[in-house]
Amino acid sequence: MQQDEPHLSRGPGRRIGAPPRLRLYCLLLTASCQLAAGCRGLGKPDTQYDLLTAELRTRERELLECRGERDQLRLLNQAYQRQLQYQYPAATCPPDGGAPSLPLRAISLGAGTGGVDDDRQPGDESLMVVVVPRDADGTAVKVPARVTVLAYEITPQGLKTPLGKWEVSPDQLRRTWRSGLLSSGYFVPLQWERPPTTARLRLVARLTTLDGRDYEADKDVSVRPLAGIAPTPVAPPSSVPDSPPRVEELPPPAAQLKPPTPLN
């Protein structure tokens, strides 16, 4: 007589499958095999994936930089438009139909203008000129223009001697703009054409806007001449001669001359 298997049948006419634990084990085993087959290279460095990740990070950084430059140019454009509307509220161009101009009233040579010592040796190796364009309210404004700088040496006698001349194009000038809490303007670095021999200089800066308007400012600054450069000798305004002036001998008068001897 055949006995019924209790784990395969339960009651007459009813057959059950494998126990739940066995089915769960089979499912986990199948999932593990699939995961192992799909992640065959897990744990090994993927060079292509690293390259793609690095390229993506580079593109994201470039995108952020482009957005920052775009926002900066947008703010600068808005500032120019406000300045134009402030000067010409009825139109964006002057009444004579010329090119629009910014509300520039004057320029000045700001703090920081003078000699620059970069090598910590006695004497200034270069010159820094801070040109500050100002509007009607005295606020520093960034305007496209070119700048001409003239430098003169001031001798102890008060005489001015030309020292150098520099021309700064609009593109070069644009890159020197600095904005800060203490001062804003064009910080223009200049190299000596000829090192100064005196401690006082007279600087003259002329700013010419794109529409042809000129603005000028001057300032006396102190510099430190380089070591080993002798000052230019200047003759004193008045000098006393060491020896008396030479007196030329005049010929004797005609009465003292002997008459010529007559010929026979």
Side-chain angles (χ1 to χ4, degrees):
M1 181 176 179
Q2 186 178 1
Q3 296 181 358
D4 295 334
E5 296 179 359
H7 64 282
L8 296 178
S9 63
R10 183 177 298 174
R14 185 177 180 183
R15 187 177 183 87
I16 61 175
R21 292 183 179 180
L22 182 59
R23 288 182 299 182
L24 179 61
Y25 176 77
C26 294
L27 291 176
L28 291 177
L29 181 60
T30 304
S32 300
C33 294
Q34 293 178 355
L35 182 61
C39 302
R40 187 179 306 171
L42 189 61
K44 298 181 180 179
D46 192 348
T47 306
Q48 186 176 4
Y49 175 78
D50 294 340
L51 292 177
L52 292 176
T53 304
E55 185 70 18
L56 180 60
R57 292 176 181 174
T58 303
R59 294 294 177 263
E60 290 179 353
R61 185 175 64 254
E62 293 177 352
L63 179 60
L64 292 177
E65 294 177 356
C66 291
R67 288 179 178 176
E69 294 179 358
R70 181 202 61 187
D71 295 340
Q72 184 179 3
L73 293 175
R74 181 179 298 173
L75 293 176
L76 183 61
N77 188 22
Q78 292 176 359
Y80 282 170
Q81 290 180 357
R82 287 195 300 268
Q83 291 172 357
L84 289 174
Q85 293 175 0
Y86 173 81
Q87 186 175 8
Y88 303 105
T92 58
C93 294
D96 57 356
S101 57
L102 297 177
L104 183 61
R105 291 294 179 266
I107 66 170
S108 62
L109 295 180
T113 301
V116 178
D117 185 7
D118 294 327
D119 58 359
R120 297 182 181 180
Q121 298 295 328
D124 297 328
E125 294 80 27
S126 59
L127 178 67
M128 175 65 71
V129 178
V130 183
V131 182
V132 185
R134 301 187 182 276
D135 59 5
D137 298 330
T139 305
V141 291
K142 183 179 181 181
V143 296
R146 66 177 183 271
V147 167
T148 302
V149 179
L150 302 174
Y152 300 89
E153 288 182 309
I154 301 179
T155 64
Q157 293 75 21
L159 302 177
K160 292 191 302 182
T161 305
L163 179 64
K165 180 180 179 181
W166 298 267
E167 297 284 349
V168 184
S169 65
D171 186 54
Q172 295 173 343
L173 187 65
R174 177 181 56 84
R175 294 193 294 264
T176 62
W177 177 265
R178 299 181 189 175
S179 297
L181 297 177
L182 299 179
S183 62
S184 298
Y186 294 108
F187 287 72
V188 184
L190 303 172
Q191 296 294 327
W192 299 120
E193 295 183 357
R194 177 174 61 85
T197 59
T198 61
R200 291 182 58 200
L201 297 181
R202 168 68 61 86
L203 299 180
V204 179
R206 183 182 301 111
L207 184 143
T208 304
T209 59
L210 299 183
D211 56 358
R213 293 183 297 168
D214 292 331
Y215 301 86
E216 190 170 298
D218 58 356
K219 185 178 183 179
D220 290 348
V221 298
S222 299
V223 296
R224 294 181 300 174
L226 296 175
I229 298 181
T232 304
V234 179
S238 61
S239 59
V240 179
D242 297 336
S243 58
R246 179 182 178 183
V247 179
E248 297 182 358
E249 297 181 358
L250 298 177
Q256 298 179 0
L257 295 178
K258 296 181 179 181
T261 303
L263 299 176
N264 296 328

